[in-house]
Amino acid sequence: IIDGLRKAESHLIKKDYSQALALASGLKDKYPNVSSVLFLRATTLSLMNNKKEALSDLEKGLGIDPQNSSALALQKKLKEAQ
């Protein structure tokens, strides 16, 4: 799982969002209840302007890890942008 997260993050850094999303979505299929996977996918979706789906992943991830400050900040930003 860590290797997959690193690969997806490297694609985010390169702004290859479609590949990052493909990797993050694959991880979500395998590990649907891992908050770091959900937060990474939400970040990717946010960068692709898919706010609705990003918020959905954030809310699920925050249900698992409600104290994640980065996820809370992104959630606030996305809700304000709606």
Side-chain angles (χ1 to χ4, degrees), residues 13-78:
I13 291 167
K14 294 185 273 185
K15 297 187 179 185
D16 183 1
Y17 301 138
S18 59
Q19 187 62 33
L21 181 60
L23 289 167
S25 294
L27 288 169
K28 183 183 173 190
D29 290 343
K30 288 182 184 179
Y31 309 102
N33 297 312
V34 174
S35 61
S36 57
V37 170
L38 294 164
F39 297 147
L40 176 67
R41 187 169 182 273
T43 299
T44 305
L45 288 164
S46 170
L47 291 168
M48 298 175 81
N49 290 317
N50 187 339
K51 292 175 180 62
K52 183 178 179 183
E53 208 170 340
L55 280 168
S56 176
D57 279 1
L58 280 170
E59 288 169 9
K60 184 171 182 183
L62 287 167
I64 298 164
D65 181 7
Q67 302 303 316
N68 187 299
S69 59
S70 297
L72 288 167
L74 180 57
Q75 181 187 43
K76 181 180 178 183
K77 178 182 169 185
L78 291 174

Side-chain angles (χ1 to χ4, degrees), residues 4-16 20 23:
L5 288 169
R6 285 186 183 141
K7 285 180 183 176
E9 287 174 349
S10 74
H11 286 288
L12 275 182
I13 291 167
K14 294 185 273 185
K15 297 187 179 185
D16 183 1
L23 289 167

